[in-house]
Amino acid sequence: DSSFVKLTRNGEPTRIEINTDGLVEWVGERPQKHASFKALLASERYGALKSWAAQQSLLLRQEVAAVGSLIEQKGTINNSIDEVGIEGVDELLRRPQVEETTRILLIDGPAGIGKTNFIINLALNRSENLAKGQAALILHVESRGRQLSYIYDLVAFSLQRLRTSVTFDQIPVLVLHGLITIAVDGFDELADPNGYNLAWAQVNELVRSIRGQGSLILAGRETFIGRRRVQQDIQELRDGIDEIDSFTLTPPSPHDARRWLLAQGVNDDQLQQLEGLLERGSLALRPFFLKQ
């Protein structure tokens, strides 16, 4: 048995035949088979994820080049004792997800620890490996000093930077089918004290709209982002059903910092002068400050 859907897409009459083998999309007399509804959404007439990935790779490579070389960023997942890097976080997000759930990943750490840079490199890794792993692309949504008025305004701004054909109102559908992951960077900066409740209310709405195979990353200072606060303020999260994981970025050890500085061309005499700064707990160990 088959079902049919008729619609007009980009001004072209389209018919989609749904059967047990997948979907067949007819544009005029041209049939195209898709393995699933998810594959249809990822195709060039809809989500255009291949084009998205190519444009995102170009943009993010420029951003990474502008920042320059930084010491490898690592952290701990759910307060474990073992440190992991980008590959470990990527593996965490790739875990099989129960249907009709929402997955939240919290990325926290103090100023200068490299939360934004970590998300950029995670997104770049996904966009450059789309063809290999078919993992969700990451839409990097940044506060850039703005207060939160409407979260989809920030999503729309991020899409404009990528020059994609996807519009902001189509993003929740792509997220709930596991094709896109939204990363809200600087979530703690998006709301002033008067907008605090508004910020969490909008995340509540977003969590509800992406329930399916949806994932959401929230990044901010460790004093603002935390499992307890998320469970308290995102009422849409269902205890024991939806997933909440945390990744805490940690500064490098003094030993690793010295080794990295030597690799950057700092000589032994210069390193000797820096010894007072490279003590455990020093601000100078945070990646961006260490580079300076």
Side-chain angles (χ1 to χ4, degrees):
D1 293 337
S2 298
S3 300
F4 295 89
V5 176
K6 290 185 177 181
L7 61 126
T8 299
R9 175 69 179 162
N10 296 332
E12 297 178 296
T14 303
R15 185 180 70 161
I16 299 173
E17 178 185 350
I18 307 165
N19 54 50
T20 53
D21 297 327
L23 296 89
V24 180
E25 179 188 20
W26 295 83
V27 182
E29 299 300 317
R30 305 188 308 274
Q32 182 175 357
K33 189 168 184 179
H34 302 278
S36 63
F37 183 63
K38 184 174 178 178
L40 173 74
L41 287 176
S43 66
E44 288 304 296
R45 293 190 75 229
Y46 298 89
L49 296 195
K50 287 184 180 178
S51 297
W52 175 319
Q55 291 163 238
Q56 187 175 42
S57 294
L58 181 62
L59 178 66
L60 295 182
R61 279 197 296 266
Q62 292 172 344
E63 292 191 12
V64 168
V67 170
S69 175
L70 288 176
I71 193 167
E72 183 183 2
Q73 294 173 284
K74 292 185 178 181
T76 59
I77 294 173
N78 297 331
N79 298 316
S80 69
I81 60 172
D82 298 320
E83 287 190 327
V84 300
I86 284 177
E87 294 300 328
V89 174
D90 190 59
E91 185 178 332
L92 174 72
L93 288 169
R94 285 172 179 260
R95 286 194 330 248
Q97 186 171 344
V98 177
E99 291 285 346
E100 298 306 315
T101 63
T102 302
R103 173 179 287 164
I104 303 285
L105 173 65
L106 309 175
I107 297 181
D108 65 69
I113 200 69
K115 297 181 289 292
T116 294
N117 192 65
F118 189 88
I119 293 173
I120 287 173
N121 280 281
L122 183 62
L124 178 60
N125 185 54
R126 284 286 180 90
S127 62
E128 291 191 330
N129 291 285
L130 176 69
K132 298 177 188 175
Q134 294 300 320
L137 292 173
I138 293 174
L139 179 63
H140 187 195
V141 177
E142 298 179 81
S143 66
R144 294 183 176 267
R146 293 187 296 273
Q147 293 176 358
L148 181 62
S149 55
Y150 183 50
I151 197 166
Y152 286 116
D153 288 345
L154 301 180
V155 170
F157 179 77
S158 299
L159 292 171
Q160 281 182 335
R161 292 184 69 227
L162 289 173
R163 300 291 191 268
T164 69
S165 59
V166 175
T167 57
F168 75 92
D169 54 334
Q170 296 169 336
I171 288 297
V173 176
L174 296 175
V175 176
L176 75 85
H177 285 283
L179 294 167
I180 301 293
T181 294
I182 298 176
V184 183
D185 183 13
F187 180 72
D188 52 316
E189 300 171 5
L190 286 174
D192 62 11
N194 295 325
Y196 176 84
N197 291 329
L198 173 65
W200 289 109
Q202 292 194 33
V203 173
N204 258 299
E205 181 185 333
L206 183 58
V207 165
R208 182 170 57 249
S209 68
I210 65 174
R211 180 163 289 138
Q213 291 183 302
S215 294
L216 175 66
I217 297 172
L218 298 177
R221 288 168 293 180
E222 75 281 13
T223 54
F224 190 90
I225 295 283
R227 180 187 294 269
R228 182 178 298 177
R229 173 164 281 179
V230 164
Q231 288 174 323
Q232 172 188 313
D233 290 335
I234 305 182
Q235 290 83 21
E236 281 296 324
L237 287 174
R238 300 162 300 175
D239 189 34
I241 301 175
D242 295 312
E243 301 176 34
I244 307 174
D245 291 295
S246 62
F247 176 68
T248 302
L249 281 160
T250 54
S253 68
H255 171 75
D256 287 343
R258 293 186 192 98
R259 189 170 56 183
W260 181 81
L261 286 169
L262 288 170
Q264 303 308 303
V266 174
N267 61 43
D268 289 332
D269 290 340
Q270 292 170 321
L271 194 59
Q272 195 78 26
Q273 295 174 27
L274 294 172
E275 277 300 317
L277 293 174
L278 301 180
E279 297 178 354
R280 193 170 296 278
S282 168
L283 292 178
L285 291 177
R286 299 178 188 179
F288 280 93
F289 300 150
L290 185 63
K291 180 180 174 64
Q292 297 305 312

